[in-house]
PDB file of all heavy atoms in Angstrom:
ATOM      1  N   SER A 878      -0.985  -0.174 -16.640  1.00 88.00           N
ATOM      2  CA  SER A 878      -2.122  -0.397 -17.533  1.00 88.00           C
ATOM      3  C   SER A 878      -3.139  -1.337 -16.889  1.00 88.00           C
ATOM      4  O   SER A 878      -4.155  -1.666 -17.494  1.00 88.00           O
ATOM      5  CB  SER A 878      -1.646  -0.970 -18.878  1.00 88.00           C
ATOM      6  OG  SER A 878      -1.053  -2.251 -18.694  1.00 88.00           O
ATOM      7  N   ASP A 879      -2.861  -1.737 -15.651  1.00 90.00           N
ATOM      8  CA  ASP A 879      -3.759  -2.608 -14.892  1.00 90.00           C
ATOM      9  C   ASP A 879      -4.610  -1.744 -13.959  1.00 90.00           C
ATOM     10  O   ASP A 879      -4.083  -1.014 -13.115  1.00 90.00           O
ATOM     11  CB  ASP A 879      -2.939  -3.615 -14.086  1.00 90.00           C
ATOM     12  CG  ASP A 879      -3.814  -4.485 -13.208  1.00 90.00           C
ATOM     13  OD1 ASP A 879      -4.656  -5.217 -13.744  1.00 90.00           O
ATOM     14  OD2 ASP A 879      -3.648  -4.407 -11.968  1.00 90.00           O
ATOM     15  N   GLU A 880      -5.923  -1.831 -14.081  1.00 92.00           N
ATOM     16  CA  GLU A 880      -6.822  -0.983 -13.297  1.00 92.00           C
ATOM     17  C   GLU A 880      -6.660  -1.202 -11.798  1.00 92.00           C
ATOM     18  O   GLU A 880      -6.692  -0.245 -11.009  1.00 92.00           O
ATOM     19  CB  GLU A 880      -8.278  -1.236 -13.696  1.00 92.00           C
ATOM     20  CG  GLU A 880      -9.266  -0.338 -12.952  1.00 92.00           C
ATOM     21  CD  GLU A 880     -10.698  -0.533 -13.402  1.00 92.00           C
ATOM     22  OE1 GLU A 880     -10.909  -1.129 -14.483  1.00 92.00           O
ATOM     23  OE2 GLU A 880     -11.603  -0.085 -12.672  1.00 92.00           O
ATOM     24  N   ALA A 881      -6.470  -2.447 -11.387  1.00 94.00           N
ATOM     25  CA  ALA A 881      -6.315  -2.738  -9.960  1.00 94.00           C
ATOM     26  C   ALA A 881      -5.085  -2.049  -9.386  1.00 94.00           C
ATOM     27  O   ALA A 881      -5.102  -1.548  -8.253  1.00 94.00           O
ATOM     28  CB  ALA A 881      -6.234  -4.252  -9.741  1.00 94.00           C
ATOM     29  N   THR A 882      -4.005  -1.985 -10.177  1.00 94.00           N
ATOM     30  CA  THR A 882      -2.791  -1.299  -9.739  1.00 94.00           C
ATOM     31  C   THR A 882      -3.057   0.184  -9.543  1.00 94.00           C
ATOM     32  O   THR A 882      -2.670   0.776  -8.526  1.00 94.00           O
ATOM     33  CB  THR A 882      -1.670  -1.482 -10.776  1.00 94.00           C
ATOM     34  OG1 THR A 882      -1.336  -2.861 -10.863  1.00 94.00           O
ATOM     35  CG2 THR A 882      -0.438  -0.682 -10.398  1.00 94.00           C
ATOM     36  N   LEU A 883      -3.726   0.792 -10.504  1.00 96.00           N
ATOM     37  CA  LEU A 883      -4.032   2.223 -10.410  1.00 96.00           C
ATOM     38  C   LEU A 883      -4.945   2.522  -9.229  1.00 96.00           C
ATOM     39  O   LEU A 883      -4.807   3.552  -8.565  1.00 96.00           O
ATOM     40  CB  LEU A 883      -4.667   2.703 -11.715  1.00 96.00           C
ATOM     41  CG  LEU A 883      -3.749   2.681 -12.936  1.00 96.00           C
ATOM     42  CD1 LEU A 883      -4.546   2.942 -14.206  1.00 96.00           C
ATOM     43  CD2 LEU A 883      -2.632   3.705 -12.795  1.00 96.00           C
ATOM     44  N   ARG A 884      -5.840   1.601  -8.959  1.00 95.00           N
ATOM     45  CA  ARG A 884      -6.734   1.780  -7.811  1.00 95.00           C
ATOM     46  C   ARG A 884      -5.933   1.726  -6.511  1.00 95.00           C
ATOM     47  O   ARG A 884      -6.155   2.531  -5.595  1.00 95.00           O
ATOM     48  CB  ARG A 884      -7.821   0.709  -7.829  1.00 95.00           C
ATOM     49  CG  ARG A 884      -9.015   1.000  -6.926  1.00 95.00           C
ATOM     50  CD  ARG A 884     -10.023  -0.149  -6.964  1.00 95.00           C
ATOM     51  NE  ARG A 884     -10.572  -0.317  -8.298  1.00 95.00           N
ATOM     52  CZ  ARG A 884     -11.597   0.383  -8.763  1.00 95.00           C
ATOM     53  NH1 ARG A 884     -12.158   1.307  -8.003  1.00 95.00           N
ATOM     54  NH2 ARG A 884     -12.059   0.166  -9.980  1.00 95.00           N
ATOM     55  N   ARG A 885      -4.986   0.785  -6.418  1.00 94.00           N
ATOM     56  CA  ARG A 885      -4.148   0.682  -5.213  1.00 94.00           C
ATOM     57  C   ARG A 885      -3.284   1.932  -5.020  1.00 94.00           C
ATOM     58  O   ARG A 885      -2.996   2.332  -3.886  1.00 94.00           O
ATOM     59  CB  ARG A 885      -3.239  -0.554  -5.295  1.00 94.00           C
ATOM     60  CG  ARG A 885      -3.950  -1.874  -5.063  1.00 94.00           C
ATOM     61  CD  ARG A 885      -2.953  -2.976  -4.774  1.00 94.00           C
ATOM     62  NE  ARG A 885      -2.030  -3.199  -5.874  1.00 94.00           N
ATOM     63  CZ  ARG A 885      -2.266  -4.003  -6.910  1.00 94.00           C
ATOM     64  NH1 ARG A 885      -3.414  -4.669  -6.974  1.00 94.00           N
ATOM     65  NH2 ARG A 885      -1.371  -4.163  -7.859  1.00 94.00           N
ATOM     66  N   LEU A 886      -2.887   2.544  -6.134  1.00 95.00           N
ATOM     67  CA  LEU A 886      -2.087   3.760  -6.067  1.00 95.00           C
ATOM     68  C   LEU A 886      -2.919   4.993  -5.738  1.00 95.00           C
ATOM     69  O   LEU A 886      -2.371   6.081  -5.554  1.00 95.00           O
ATOM     70  CB  LEU A 886      -1.350   3.987  -7.392  1.00 95.00           C
ATOM     71  CG  LEU A 886      -0.295   2.950  -7.784  1.00 95.00           C
ATOM     72  CD1 LEU A 886       0.249   3.245  -9.178  1.00 95.00           C
ATOM     73  CD2 LEU A 886       0.835   2.927  -6.774  1.00 95.00           C
ATOM     74  N   ALA A 887      -4.245   4.806  -5.641  1.00 96.00           N
ATOM     75  CA  ALA A 887      -5.161   5.925  -5.371  1.00 96.00           C
ATOM     76  C   ALA A 887      -4.933   7.054  -6.376  1.00 96.00           C
ATOM     77  O   ALA A 887      -4.732   8.217  -6.018  1.00 96.00           O
ATOM     78  CB  ALA A 887      -5.003   6.413  -3.943  1.00 96.00           C
ATOM     79  N   ILE A 888      -4.979   6.686  -7.646  1.00 96.00           N
ATOM     80  CA  ILE A 888      -4.621   7.618  -8.704  1.00 96.00           C
ATOM     81  C   ILE A 888      -5.532   8.840  -8.730  1.00 96.00           C
ATOM     82  O   ILE A 888      -5.143   9.920  -9.189  1.00 96.00           O
ATOM     83  CB  ILE A 888      -4.617   6.881 -10.075  1.00 96.00           C
ATOM     84  CG1 ILE A 888      -3.651   7.557 -11.052  1.00 96.00           C
ATOM     85  CG2 ILE A 888      -6.029   6.774 -10.653  1.00 96.00           C
ATOM     86  CD1 ILE A 888      -2.212   7.394 -10.709  1.00 96.00           C
ATOM     87  N   ASP A 889      -6.734   8.696  -8.218  1.00 95.00           N
ATOM     88  CA  ASP A 889      -7.672   9.821  -8.203  1.00 95.00           C
ATOM     89  C   ASP A 889      -7.308  10.880  -7.166  1.00 95.00           C
ATOM     90  O   ASP A 889      -7.869  11.982  -7.170  1.00 95.00           O
ATOM     91  CB  ASP A 889      -9.096   9.324  -7.947  1.00 95.00           C
ATOM     92  CG  ASP A 889      -9.226   8.542  -6.652  1.00 95.00           C
ATOM     93  OD1 ASP A 889      -8.343   7.695  -6.376  1.00 95.00           O
ATOM     94  OD2 ASP A 889     -10.194   8.763  -5.907  1.00 95.00           O
ATOM     95  N   ASN A 890      -6.355  10.576  -6.270  1.00 95.00           N
ATOM     96  CA  ASN A 890      -5.950  11.553  -5.252  1.00 95.00           C
ATOM     97  C   ASN A 890      -4.921  12.556  -5.758  1.00 95.00           C
ATOM     98  O   ASN A 890      -4.669  13.567  -5.103  1.00 95.00           O
ATOM     99  CB  ASN A 890      -5.371  10.833  -4.024  1.00 95.00           C
ATOM    100  CG  ASN A 890      -6.436  10.154  -3.199  1.00 95.00           C
ATOM    101  OD1 ASN A 890      -7.619  10.462  -3.315  1.00 95.00           O
ATOM    102  ND2 ASN A 890      -6.024   9.202  -2.378  1.00 95.00           N
ATOM    103  N   PHE A 891      -4.318  12.287  -6.906  1.00 96.00           N
ATOM    104  CA  PHE A 891      -3.279  13.162  -7.416  1.00 96.00           C
ATOM    105  C   PHE A 891      -3.879  14.339  -8.179  1.00 96.00           C
ATOM    106  O   PHE A 891      -4.902  14.205  -8.853  1.00 96.00           O
ATOM    107  CB  PHE A 891      -2.320  12.381  -8.315  1.00 96.00           C
ATOM    108  CG  PHE A 891      -1.464  11.404  -7.547  1.00 96.00           C
ATOM    109  CD1 PHE A 891      -1.919  10.121  -7.280  1.00 96.00           C
ATOM    110  CD2 PHE A 891      -0.228  11.793  -7.058  1.00 96.00           C
ATOM    111  CE1 PHE A 891      -1.148   9.225  -6.554  1.00 96.00           C
ATOM    112  CE2 PHE A 891       0.553  10.907  -6.328  1.00 96.00           C
ATOM    113  CZ  PHE A 891       0.086   9.634  -6.069  1.00 96.00           C
ATOM    114  N   ASP A 892      -3.212  15.481  -8.062  1.00 93.00           N
ATOM    115  CA  ASP A 892      -3.693  16.670  -8.777  1.00 93.00           C
ATOM    116  C   ASP A 892      -3.525  16.515 -10.279  1.00 93.00           C
ATOM    117  O   ASP A 892      -4.371  16.962 -11.054  1.00 93.00           O
ATOM    118  CB  ASP A 892      -2.921  17.904  -8.289  1.00 93.00           C
ATOM    119  CG  ASP A 892      -3.172  18.185  -6.825  1.00 93.00           C
ATOM    120  OD1 ASP A 892      -4.291  18.608  -6.484  1.00 93.00           O
ATOM    121  OD2 ASP A 892      -2.259  17.954  -6.017  1.00 93.00           O
ATOM    122  N   VAL A 893      -2.408  15.906 -10.682  1.00 93.00           N
ATOM    123  CA  VAL A 893      -2.129  15.700 -12.104  1.00 93.00           C
ATOM    124  C   VAL A 893      -1.538  14.309 -12.293  1.00 93.00           C
ATOM    125  O   VAL A 893      -0.647  13.906 -11.538  1.00 93.00           O
ATOM    126  CB  VAL A 893      -1.135  16.749 -12.655  1.00 93.00           C
ATOM    127  CG1 VAL A 893      -0.874  16.523 -14.143  1.00 93.00           C
ATOM    128  CG2 VAL A 893      -1.653  18.161 -12.412  1.00 93.00           C
ATOM    129  N   VAL A 894      -2.032  13.589 -13.290  1.00 95.00           N
ATOM    130  CA  VAL A 894      -1.458  12.309 -13.692  1.00 95.00           C
ATOM    131  C   VAL A 894      -0.840  12.499 -15.076  1.00 95.00           C
ATOM    132  O   VAL A 894      -1.505  12.970 -16.000  1.00 95.00           O
ATOM    133  CB  VAL A 894      -2.516  11.192 -13.746  1.00 95.00           C
ATOM    134  CG1 VAL A 894      -1.893   9.888 -14.232  1.00 95.00           C
ATOM    135  CG2 VAL A 894      -3.167  11.005 -12.386  1.00 95.00           C
ATOM    136  N   ILE A 895       0.434  12.160 -15.210  1.00 94.00           N
ATOM    137  CA  ILE A 895       1.140  12.292 -16.483  1.00 94.00           C
ATOM    138  C   ILE A 895       1.440  10.903 -17.008  1.00 94.00           C
ATOM    139  O   ILE A 895       2.206  10.150 -16.403  1.00 94.00           O
ATOM    140  CB  ILE A 895       2.443  13.089 -16.315  1.00 94.00           C
ATOM    141  CG1 ILE A 895       2.134  14.493 -15.761  1.00 94.00           C
ATOM    142  CG2 ILE A 895       3.191  13.201 -17.645  1.00 94.00           C
ATOM    143  CD1 ILE A 895       3.334  15.224 -15.248  1.00 94.00           C
ATOM    144  N   ILE A 896       0.821  10.548 -18.116  1.00 95.00           N
ATOM    145  CA  ILE A 896       1.034   9.240 -18.731  1.00 95.00           C
ATOM    146  C   ILE A 896       2.110   9.405 -19.790  1.00 95.00           C
ATOM    147  O   ILE A 896       1.880   9.965 -20.856  1.00 95.00           O
ATOM    148  CB  ILE A 896      -0.272   8.690 -19.338  1.00 95.00           C
ATOM    149  CG1 ILE A 896      -1.340   8.573 -18.248  1.00 95.00           C
ATOM    150  CG2 ILE A 896      -0.026   7.339 -20.002  1.00 95.00           C
ATOM    151  CD1 ILE A 896      -2.722   8.264 -18.781  1.00 95.00           C
TER     152      ILE A 896
END
Side-chain angles (χ1 to χ4, degrees):
S878 64
D879 176 62
E880 182 177 344
T882 296
L883 293 170
R884 196 182 297 276
R885 285 196 299 273
L886 295 175
I888 207 70
D889 57 316
N890 287 342
F891 290 87
D892 296 289
V893 181
V894 177
I895 301 166
I896 301 170

